[in-house]
Amino acid sequence: MYPPRVLITTDDFNLADEVAALRANDKRVGAVCTFTGTVRDRNMTPTLATACAALPPEGAELARGGPSLRSAAPQGDVLSMELEHYPGMTEKAIEAMIDEALSRFDIFGARVIHRVGLLQPLDQVVMVAVVSAHRGESFKACEFLMDYLKTQAPFWKKEETAQGARWVDARVSDDAALAKWGIGATNA
């Protein structure tokens, strides 16, 4: 009934087409929640204390146990970003994330598209779309999947700045966001 749940591609995607395919002919769908991430022209890494401030106590405590403190200073203007993945492993990991979302939330389906290769500021990088009967479940599942993707999906990100290229790890705020779901980051 639904399109493939995971697509890793170098090609851009059309959000309207993806949503239409996800909800096609399913009269149960009353809500669609989407998130589209794009390449920014700068990178800023918050400290652990800043990231934990917005979390409930149990999430903040989980987050403090994992990541190390990082600088809050700007990391330089991003000229381009290159994403790499391990074909097969990446899709399998994201499929498992979607399975987890289906077990946690009352949703009918989800689709994740993630681009790889060389990307420029303003390019679309990732899309998460979730369909359900009601908006609350779609919102939660979409946020859960993005939080999971940011820290647990096996992608390697390299940013090109005026100072040169550098590999980028998940940010403290991403680890803290995952912690609010009761999941400790395993990438540290």
Side-chain angles (χ1 to χ4, degrees), residues 102-121:
L102 286 163
S103 73
R104 287 176 177 239
F105 308 102
D106 188 13
I107 61 175
F108 302 138
R111 176 137 164 96
V112 173
I113 299 175
H114 208 298
R115 293 180 65 195
V116 293
L118 185 63
L119 301 168
Q120 307 300 318

Side-chain angles (χ1 to χ4, degrees), residues 42-179:
R42 68 194 76 243
N43 188 353
M44 187 89 137
T45 304
T47 64
L48 178 61
T50 303
C52 289
L55 294 174
E58 62 277 4
E61 184 178 321
L62 231 167
R64 281 189 196 96
S68 59
L69 288 173
R70 297 180 188 148
S71 167
Q75 303 296 310
D77 291 345
V78 174
L79 305 174
S80 66
M81 180 174 73
E82 189 168 359
L83 285 157
E84 297 180 7
H85 78 299
Y86 191 93
M89 182 175 82
T90 303
E91 292 87 346
K92 184 177 177 182
I94 296 172
E95 285 283 350
M97 293 173 201
I98 293 172
D99 288 342
E100 182 66 21
L102 286 163
S103 73
R104 287 176 177 239
F105 308 102
D106 188 13
I107 61 175
F108 302 138
R111 176 137 164 96
V112 173
I113 299 175
H114 208 298
R115 293 180 65 195
V116 293
L118 185 63
L119 301 168
Q120 307 300 318
L122 301 177
D123 285 350
Q124 297 183 119
V125 179
V126 62
M127 180 209 78
V128 174
V130 178
V131 291
S132 68
H134 305 287
R135 69 180 184 268
E137 293 298 295
S138 285
F139 282 135
K140 289 186 287 188
C142 191
E143 184 178 16
F144 170 80
L145 285 168
M146 268 313 303
D147 290 345
Y148 212 107
L149 275 168
K150 288 289 288 185
T151 59
Q152 304 305 298
F155 289 101
W156 295 271
K157 179 169 77 169
K158 181 170 55 172
E159 291 179 341
E160 184 70 41
T161 69
Q163 294 76 34
R166 66 183 182 86
W167 292 98
V168 180
D169 194 8
R171 296 182 303 176
V172 170
S173 60
D174 298 328
D175 295 340
L178 186 63

